[in-house]
Amino acid sequence: GAVVSQHPSWVICKSGTSVKIECRSLDFQATTMFWYRQFPKQSLMLMATSNEGSKATYEQGVEKDKFLINHASLTLSTLTVTSAHPEDSSFYICRPPVTQYFGPGTRLTVL
Amino acid sequence: AQSVTQLDSQVPVFEEAPVELRCNYSSSVSVYLFWYVQYPNQGLQLLLKYLSGSTLVKGINGFEAEFNKSQTSFHLRKPSVHISDTAEYFCAVTLDNAGGTSYGKLTFGQGTILTVHP
């Protein structure tokens, strides 16, 4: 299947700082990317969809100004958690629509 | 909009016993169905998928699932489980399909924790 990577795989930050998560498609081009969030012991919830050349579309209840999503190129989508707080601690996962496979995920812990 | 219900939040079972993890979906149109497994502190791994054709789908690690349109179900089964099958299992559904080359937004069930005891 198509290969997707995420960086970093694990990050700890202080409350109030911003964290950028990268999602790269390694052997194909992706004009869109789905971003999911998984809180501890919960299921995955779609947060937003990044779109190359246009604004991201956010799911209901997701704060656009807090979770900045950018589709920088056909192989890179980024999610920036701005002014992170402990309640943002979660597992963030990306997936391109061309595959049913997910990226390996990024574990964010905000202290 | 589609939805997915996994009927059991936890399923304990003894090693070498059979297991069935239940999944029901709700949709007014045709869907594509998936089962994923997630081991502790790891990402999701695709077990199997149903897109079309035979309603009995075989996946990795000896798992299989049967699509039942009349009952809107997609239950996951394994005839003999191992300790290593202990994990959380997610059923997921998507409506979108651009000619078989695109998989749209996936909606997930709540997950079922399978615990295999020796």
Side-chain angles (χ1 to χ4, degrees), chain B residues 23-105:
Chain B
C23 172
N24 285 90
Y25 68 92
S26 174
S27 174
S28 57
V29 297
S30 296
V31 297
Y32 303 95
L33 295 151
F34 306 83
W35 274 100
Y36 290 87
V37 59
Q38 186 176 35
Y39 298 101
N41 298 311
Q42 294 188 28
L44 286 106
Q45 181 179 5
L46 180 68
L47 277 178
L48 48 79
K49 61 181 184 281
Y50 172 78
L51 304 181
S52 64
S54 174
T55 57
L56 183 62
V57 179
K58 293 189 182 298
I60 62 172
N61 301 341
F63 284 94
E64 63 181 32
E66 186 159 17
F67 171 61
N68 188 318
K69 188 175 181 179
S70 62
Q71 297 186 6
T72 61
S73 67
F74 190 55
H75 300 333
L76 180 70
R77 302 186 182 99
K78 186 169 183 178
S80 176
V81 294
H82 302 290
I83 297 288
S84 59
D85 293 323
T86 295
E88 188 159 18
Y89 293 79
F90 292 96
C91 181
V93 62
T94 182
L95 297 178
D96 301 336
N97 181 31
T101 61
S102 178
Y103 303 91
K105 298 179 182 181

